[in-house]
Amino acid sequence: MLASLSAPVWALPLDLFRVLVGLLGVGYFVRTLREIPDFGSPDGLIDHSLQHRLLPFTRMGLFPERAPVWLLRASYLMGCAASAMLALGVGSVVVAPLLYLLAVSAYRRGFLVVGIDDAIVHLALFWMVALPVGHTLTLPDLLSRREDVGVVWDRWRSASVSGLGVRCLLIN
């Protein structure tokens, strides 16, 4: 039973999913960056101290209650850059957990006004941590001058990875 769950699957569709999640992440962090004056700033519409008292789990995140606007802007700009790196396949294994942590922190910071789009990004970035991504469709592979693009494409088309994470995603 377990052997059939972890049977290999093609890596190319997983990395296409990675590219789409990376683009989604860029859009999400750009939107979150634009909402800082309204919801993220200490002087915005959300009373973060009240939110922390009412919902204690919102304290667990990267940002303190009175996080300065420059910290939020820098973090969300970093999220945009890291999402672009994820889409390009540059350091996916390192970037995905950082993006997930940043998305969870942004989600909890504005918990009183979250929507379905926040939850979708949060979930998609979780799967970037759990899935074996980064084996195909990567910019470093394309830029390496050791092989012709056709050879790289043939290697990408035949690449396979463990299917356990994919099957868990499908069950989810």
Side-chain angles (χ1 to χ4, degrees):
M1 175 72 175
L2 186 59
S4 65
L5 284 176
S6 56
V9 296
W10 299 114
L12 194 58
L14 283 178
D15 282 315
L16 182 58
F17 181 55
R18 184 204 75 230
V19 170
L20 294 174
V21 169
L23 295 175
L24 178 69
V26 170
Y28 173 74
F29 285 113
V30 165
R31 192 211 65 198
T32 307
L33 184 64
R34 291 183 58 215
E35 290 177 347
I36 289 174
D38 296 331
F39 304 122
S41 102
D43 301 323
L45 298 173
I46 296 176
D47 184 352
H48 295 286
S49 62
L50 176 63
Q51 176 180 291
H52 287 178
R53 284 194 311 271
L54 294 175
L55 306 164
F57 68 90
T58 61
R59 293 182 199 149
M60 295 181 286
L62 295 175
F63 308 118
E65 185 178 302
R66 303 272 314 156
V69 171
W70 67 265
L71 175 65
L72 297 172
R73 283 197 177 121
S75 299
Y76 298 150
L77 283 171
M78 184 185 73
C80 291
S83 294
M85 289 175 62
L86 181 68
L88 294 171
V90 178
S92 301
V93 174
V94 175
V95 169
L98 295 174
L99 278 170
Y100 177 68
L101 181 62
L102 186 58
V104 167
S105 297
Y107 183 84
R108 289 181 178 174
R109 178 148 184 92
F111 191 77
L112 295 176
V113 293
V114 295
I116 190 69
D117 54 339
D118 298 294
I120 297 276
V121 171
H122 179 259
L123 183 63
L125 287 171
F126 167 78
W127 283 110
M128 289 300 98
V129 174
L131 290 172
V133 295
H135 297 280
T136 65
L137 299 178
T138 62
L139 187 63
D141 273 354
L142 283 178
L143 295 180
S144 70
R145 299 283 183 205
R146 292 173 282 152
E147 298 174 320
D148 184 29
V149 173
V151 173
V152 172
W153 180 251
D154 288 339
R155 191 176 68 239
W156 285 354
R157 283 190 313 172
S158 63
S160 62
V161 294
S162 171
L164 182 63
V166 176
R167 288 174 180 87
C168 290
L169 168 66
L170 293 174
I171 290 168
N172 179 252

